[in-house]
Amino acid sequence: MIVEDKNDGQTAEACCHSDSEEGARKSHHSDKMKQGLVSRLNRIEGQIRGIKGMIEKDTYCDDVLTQIAAAQSALGGVAKLLLEGHLKSCVIERIQAGEDEVVEELLYTINKLMK
């Protein structure tokens, strides 16, 4: 199944699968999707370094908090992309395969994201 992000036009195929040799679950995203996610994470990493620098320079608290909110929002955007791809591929595939426990797993993950 192919998933396209309406904001970036990024696509991902079948988000997750089990490695039959190891039994471990792994993600499978297109190279374009991985590049987009890594690019976003690199920008967030830069934001975090900037926040650290602001703290070291005794920047006014409200300005630092504004930057923290921006970094949290950006990280939330990455999570939304991953969650969308996961829902549209992995979760659907596992439910169709009769693996209903994926719903409890998903609810647990969403609860962690919403904290």
Side-chain angles (χ1 to χ4, degrees):
M1 176 172 286
I2 296 176
V3 178
E4 182 169 340
D5 175 24
K6 292 171 181 60
N7 297 324
D8 293 279
Q10 298 173 348
T11 58
E13 295 184 22
C15 164
C16 308
H17 67 282
S18 291
D19 186 337
S20 58
E21 293 176 18
E22 298 175 17
R25 293 180 297 177
K26 295 187 177 187
S27 293
H28 173 74
H29 302 287
S30 69
D31 287 341
K32 184 177 180 181
M33 179 66 153
K34 279 188 216 179
Q35 268 184 331
L37 291 171
V38 168
S39 177
R40 284 172 175 244
L41 290 169
N42 285 339
R43 283 194 301 273
I44 294 166
E45 186 178 18
Q47 284 179 294
I48 300 301
R49 280 193 303 272
I51 293 167
K52 180 181 173 189
M54 292 173 80
I55 298 279
E56 291 170 344
K57 294 176 185 171
D58 295 321
T59 302
Y60 184 62
C61 297
D62 191 57
D63 295 338
V64 176
L65 290 168
T66 298
Q67 291 306 309
I68 289 172
Q72 287 174 322
S73 178
L75 200 52
V78 171
K80 285 177 189 176
L81 279 176
L82 286 171
L83 182 59
E84 181 180 353
H86 184 58
L87 283 167
K88 290 183 176 180
S89 60
C90 309
V91 173
I92 289 174
E93 289 171 9
R94 289 183 62 194
I95 289 172
Q96 289 173 342
E99 298 177 42
D100 294 335
E101 67 275 5
V102 71
V103 174
E104 289 302 318
E105 178 185 288
L106 179 62
L107 290 172
Y108 180 76
T109 300
I110 290 172
N111 279 327
K112 285 193 293 185
L113 284 171
M114 293 178 71
K115 285 187 176 181

